[in-house]
Each structure stands twice: as C-alpha cells, then as structure tokens.
Amino acid sequence: MAAPDKQPTKEMVRDVGSGSSSRDEELGEMASMKNNELKKALKNRHLQMIAMGGAIGAGLFIGSGKALSAGGPGSILICYAIIGVMMLFTCQALAELAVVYPSNGAFFEHCLRFLDPTWGFAIGWGYALTWMIILPFELVAASITIRYWNDSISMGVWVTVFLVTLSLIQIFGVRGYGEVESVLSIIKIMACTGFIILGIIINCGGVGDQGKLGTKYWVEPGAFRNGFEGFASVFVIASFSFGGTELAGLAAAESERPEKSVPKACKQVFWRICFFYVLNLFIMGLILRSDDPRLLGSGAIDTKASPFVLAIQDAGIQVLPHIMNGVITIAVISVANSSTFGFTRTVQAMATVGMAPKYLAKIDEQGRPMRCTIVLILFSMIAYIGLAPSDAGMQLFEWLLALTGVAYFFIWGSICLCHIRFRKAMKIQGLSLDLIPYKPSCGVWGSWIALTLNGLCLMASFYVCANPKPGATAAQTVEGFFKGYLAAPVMIILWLAWKVRTGSWRLQTPLHEIDLRTDAKFINPADVNREPEKQKSLPRRVLGALF
C-alpha cells in the first residue's frame, strides 16, 4: 500500500532494520531536513519532447565527425546501436524506480536507498560536477558557432547574451525549462528528419554533381578504420553522445503524473536512438568519406568540422549549411539549459539530506531551487576564462572537462544496479511485484545487460586513454590518460571521503535493511488482480518495452 504523504521521522528510519546507531542518526538527520517540494509543473508533452530531443546536441552534430574519422561508418553504426540498447534498458530501469519513488534527486536518492549512502554521495556530486562544468563549456561552444557567420564580434559578448538568456529562463522555473526544451527539441527533430531526407536524395544523385553514391564510401576508404583501437574510440565517443538521456527520470518529481508520463517518455528513447542517431549517422556515412581531413577540425567545438555541414557543402547547397549551423547553435543552447536543470535538482536534493551545504536546500514559494541556480550562474562565469588569448584558458577547460569523462558510465551503471537490488529486496522482504505501477517488459534482465555494457564502456575508455598515441612522449601519454579517465579516480576519492567522514565502511546496505516503504507509490493491494499473469512470449515482451 502506498506510504502516506508525510516526511519520514527518525523513528520511521530506525524501523528499516538493525543497522548501526551511527547510520540511524545519519539517516534520521537526512530525513528531518526535508522542506517544501519542487513545483509539479511538467506536463506529459514536456517529458515526451525532453525524452525525444533533449540530449541531441553537439555529440551528434559535431562529435560524430570525429567518430567517423576514427572508426569509419561501420564502427559508427555498430557502436551507436550497442550504446543505444544500453541506454534503452537503463532508461527502462530508471522509469520503474522513478514511478515508485519520484524523488527530487531521482537516481541519487535511489543510490542512497538501494546501494549505500556513501556511493550515493559520490554519484550525486559526480553528476552535479558534470553539469556544472559542462555549462560554461557549452556557453563558449555556442559563442564559437556564431563565428561561422561573424568573427568580428568578441565571443565574450555572445557568452554574456547566452548566460543572461539562461538566467531569464530560470525565472519561469521548471515550466520554463519544459517549454524551452519542447521548442528546441522540435527544431532539432525537424533538422534531423530533414537531413535524413536530404541525405537520401544526395546519395541517389539528386543533388550536386557527385552522382549516385550508394555504398561507395563503405568500399573505399572502407567501413572500418584503425582496427580495434578505432572501434574502441567510436565506442567511447558514442557513449558520451547519449549524456543527458537520464534527465527524463530526474524530472519525475516535477511531473504532474509521473506514473503515466515517465514510462512513456523513457520508451521514446528507443525511437530517438533508432531514428535520430543510428539512421542519421548511417546516411551520413554513405555521403561523406571517413578519411576526409576536414573531420578532424581545429577544436572541441568546430562547426566547420560537423559532418552534417560538410555533407551539405559537398552537395553544393548554398543556404542549408547556415541553417544547419543554426541548428547546432540551438542544440548547444539546449544542452546548456539541461545543464542548469540537472545541476540544480541534484544539488538541492543532496542539500536536503545533508550531503551539500544546507543553504542550497531552500526552494522558493514558486517551487524553484533559486539558490542552486545562483551558484551555478556564478560558476558559469568561468566561461570568460576560456576566451583568453593564450592557451591557458582552454587548458583549464580541458582539465575541468576531464572531471566529467567517464562519470556517466558510473551513473548509468548505478541506475541499473539500483534496479537489480530493488527487485532483490522486494523478493527478500516478501513484497509482490504486482505492487509496482510500471514494470519494464524485459524486467531485471535488461538492467543486467545494460550494467554489463557499462562495464565494457569503462574498459574501452581505459584502453583508448592508456594506449600511447603514435609519436607521443611518456609525459604526453600520461597527460592524455588523466584527461580522459580522471573522473574515475575522482569518483573513488568522493566515495572514500564520505566513508571517512561517516565512519561507515560496509560496501552496501543489506537487502533486508533497505527501506522499501517510505515515500513509495505502490499500487493499493486491494486494486491488484490476484490472478497470476500469463507469461508473455519474448517478442511480445520486447514490443511491450517499446510501445
């Protein structure tokens, strides 16, 4: 039966199990700090658009160019499809947890409940730091895209314009975030759809003087480049391209009807992966050579190196490259907007349970975590350092971005592990799965598959970062490794730091001690059909996960 809508007390926390008194006091203090809630203003259409186009950004429009150059069109097709499957199962697991426990911090609070408070601390700060660092980088990136049209105006002007715009959006709270993301997502979806149609026309020789291309570029220079190292590099790039997919689950606490909208939004991930990533990149690989030197670009964000822009330019179309550059600018701004949402909600939830400064737990009368927003906006002014004439500013950005590196793999893997342990705890504590409002058709096996794929991603990232580049010195190899893999030791340091602070050294919360009832939105047992459900065939179970 659903728990009453009241905040947990110390007595309720102690009823969870027979854990140590120090942990009881810690959890009791966390529970007693709860304050007013975020405003539930996200409608179903907001979540659908956030799920469909929210994470489409520079990773697709620009990063895919480096992936094409590194591994070829065959590697792109395979790697993006594999990571897409991983994200589908991860989002399905997150949907089940978010419907039962629609909390402000989503997977951060799920880690506190199902894994261990210490790991929850590491995941929460790892996720918050990722968005905190990405935001100023995206401001610089958006300013760089403007230079495609006009490089006479200082980029500092555009950084200011974008920063002020983001600040104004925050005044309207989560509703403003939802509306802006809906509009920007529609533009990105239309651009992806238009490119697919245009790419087919170009491939068939309907535009330009290249003639019919067919699978010409799959034969020469070939479908795969640079052997296994090239394939592993694409695997890593593809993984980073899906960052932000988990935001639909984070928004559950501010959704009007999370039990309906969150599962539907997470199911949209499959179609976004198939249509906007796999199909787009497949067509891009048909109409652009993977050995084109222009794909290497001159920086982290170089719209002139975007494979989408290059393919349109090669077809001799004059106006569309400008339109595509505008779409890339919009995509970068969209990611910046998502950064604000991801950081503020995570830090507010952490402050609520005592893992961040208590000052940041405050939510204003309009249901906005404005104190967290102010902190983020102030930190984002570091973007101006990236505009310095010397290389020192960009060097700083590179090391800050290194803190985000493989953090997503720990986050996604933790979501899957939370789902696995949630199901195990339900079984051990004698609770029926019929109490769960939404269950992924692939069940816990999807989480096991996604968890395994996350492990493979970590190994592939380690291989790419540790493998010496041709002509690189030992110092350059070490520097390259830490710039790509620094997030892993940082996560471990965060985990150890909270272990030392709390003095709790057990690795995980025992399954019988996991609190499954507090704040749970279970189905009323009286409404559950007691007749055993017939086991569906595998094809029907798979289709059920997608529709």
Side-chain angles (χ1 to χ4, degrees), residues 182-204:
S182 295
V183 174
L184 299 184
S185 293
I186 290 174
I187 295 174
K188 290 185 287 185
I189 289 171
M190 291 174 62
C192 289
T193 305
F195 181 81
I196 290 174
I197 297 173
L198 178 62
I200 294 174
I201 295 173
I202 293 174
N203 184 261
C204 295

Side-chain angles (χ1 to χ4, degrees), residues 327-369:
V327 172
I328 294 173
T329 305
I330 288 173
V332 172
I333 295 173
S334 174
V335 174
N337 190 38
S338 297
S339 299
T340 307
F341 180 82
F343 173 85
T344 55
R345 271 57 184 180
T346 302
V347 172
Q348 189 277 330
M350 294 182 67
T352 300
V353 296
M355 292 184 172
K358 296 181 181 179
Y359 173 82
L360 300 176
K362 176 66 177 178
I363 297 176
D364 65 15
E365 297 178 354
Q366 285 73 40
R368 303 169 301 185

Side-chain angles (χ1 to χ4, degrees), residues 47-54 56 185 189 265 268-269 271-272 276:
L47 279 181
Q48 303 314 309
M49 296 312 301
I50 291 171
M52 284 291 286
I56 297 176
S185 293
I189 289 171
Q268 299 291 346
V269 171
W271 300 111
R272 189 186 76 196
F276 302 121

Side-chain angles (χ1 to χ4, degrees), residues 517-533:
R517 293 177 173 83
T518 302
D519 294 332
K521 307 300 181 184
F522 287 130
I523 298 175
N524 191 321
D527 299 331
V528 176
N529 185 1
R530 294 302 178 185
E531 295 183 5
E533 182 180 358

